Amino acid sequence: MTKLLNEKFFKFIFSVSIIVIGVWLTFPSELTSAQKSAYTNAYFTTIMLTFGGISIGIVLGFILAFLKFLNIKILSFFIDEYIDIIRGTPVLLQLMIFAFVILATLSDNFYAAVIALGLNSSAYVAEIVRSGINSVDRGQMEAARAMGLSYSVSMRLIIFPQAIKNILPALANEFISLFKETSVVGLIGIFDLTMQSKSLQSTLFTPEPILFAGVVYYANVKLFSVIAKLLENRLNRHD
């Protein structure tokens, strides 16, 4: 136990050290107050894109997964095709289609990006939920139905509470992936963290803003990973 705590403490100190040293070496100190404010706004734009996208992804992904478990062939066919199309095309292409074709009339591409990221995430969330439910022994459903419970009640009371242990950690990983994928939204005119860093790099003629963005991404992913690990440990506490 003591060895495990020491190992975790060492990893924590090492990660914090990397972040502190990274900030010290890469932070562009010559930024004006207006540029610092723009940098902060860009960071929160990235966060809002991530939370907006994952919210749409989770809601739509769960709906798709549960609809597929109804075993209606034509419905399952369309859901499978939707998932294949989303997973089979680059997220950047999806962003451009929404920003410049489907939602071209919008003056702000932010909403197009949120929708595109959300739809992209929904395909992966649907597969996460499907695999999580399939990980539960089929005998559980058969036993529940033998007791007279309906399919929907069996899923809600018996299957899903067991599947959630596998689903939630995977959803946390999807959140982290989506956070990093937002880095491409600058190509449709959104000043997120990456785009703002590139803009500052062109203005200041130094690579520091881009390197600093890398440190910010690393620090956030590290934080999200720790939260995901704590969530996983809490779910497995009574196993």
Side-chain angles (χ1 to χ4, degrees):
M1 185 67 177
T2 303
K3 183 179 179 180
L4 180 61
L5 290 175
N6 289 336
E7 183 180 347
K8 289 183 178 179
F9 181 74
F10 172 77
K11 289 181 178 179
F12 173 77
I13 294 299
F14 184 76
S15 298
V16 171
S17 299
I18 290 178
I19 294 170
V20 171
I21 293 172
V23 171
W24 178 60
L25 292 176
T26 64
F27 183 75
S29 56
E30 62 269 35
L31 292 180
T32 64
S33 58
Q35 289 171 330
K36 290 179 180 178
S37 177
Y39 223 142
T40 302
N41 291 337
Y43 169 75
F44 282 111
T45 296
T46 295
I47 293 296
M48 288 189 293
L49 285 169
T50 305
F51 276 97
I54 200 64
S55 297
I56 294 174
I58 288 175
V59 172
L60 184 56
F62 269 80
I63 291 174
L64 291 173
F66 283 118
L67 287 176
K68 192 172 179 180
F69 275 103
L70 294 177
N71 292 322
I72 302 174
K73 287 187 177 181
I74 186 66
L75 185 60
S76 295
F77 171 78
F78 282 113
I79 292 174
D80 286 338
E81 285 302 308
Y82 168 82
I83 292 174
D84 287 343
I85 291 171
I86 294 296
R87 297 176 67 182
T89 54
V91 65
L92 178 56
L93 181 61
Q94 296 166 20
L95 283 167
M96 290 191 293
I97 290 173
F98 273 89
F100 304 137
V101 181
I102 299 176
L103 300 176
T105 56
L106 293 180
S107 58
D108 189 349
N109 284 339
F110 175 86
Y111 301 104
V114 169
I115 293 173
L117 290 171
L119 293 179
N120 180 271
S121 180
S122 70
Y124 294 93
V125 171
E127 287 299 288
I128 289 171
V129 175
R130 181 192 61 80
S131 61
I133 292 175
N134 282 338
S135 67
V136 179
D137 189 346
R138 291 187 178 183
Q140 299 281 337
M141 173 61 78
E142 294 173 359
R145 297 305 300 274
M147 293 172 61
L149 298 178
S150 66
Y151 179 83
S152 59
V153 173
S154 299
M155 286 289 291
R156 180 167 54 87
L157 298 181
I158 306 298
I159 305 301
F160 190 70
Q162 297 179 68
I164 199 69
K165 290 185 178 182
N166 295 326
I167 293 173
L168 284 183
L171 286 181
N173 290 330
E174 170 61 19
F175 176 86
I176 292 172
S177 297
L178 187 62
F179 173 72
K180 293 183 292 183
E181 286 176 358
T182 60
S183 61
V184 301
V185 299
L187 295 176
I188 62 171
I190 300 176
F191 274 78
D192 68 317
L193 181 60
T194 299
M195 186 62 176
Q196 186 64 42
S197 299
K198 186 177 182 299
S199 176
L200 289 174
Q201 182 267 333
S202 301
T203 302
L204 302 175
F205 301 102
T206 174
E208 286 183 346
I210 294 177
L211 296 174
F212 179 68
V215 175
V216 174
Y217 276 110
Y218 170 78
N220 280 267
V221 168
K222 201 68 179 178
L223 175 61
F224 298 149
S225 298
V226 169
I227 295 174
K229 189 64 177 178
L230 291 174
L231 176 63
E232 186 176 356
N233 290 339
R234 184 175 181 82
L235 290 173
N236 296 329
R237 181 178 298 175
H238 301 296
D239 286 355

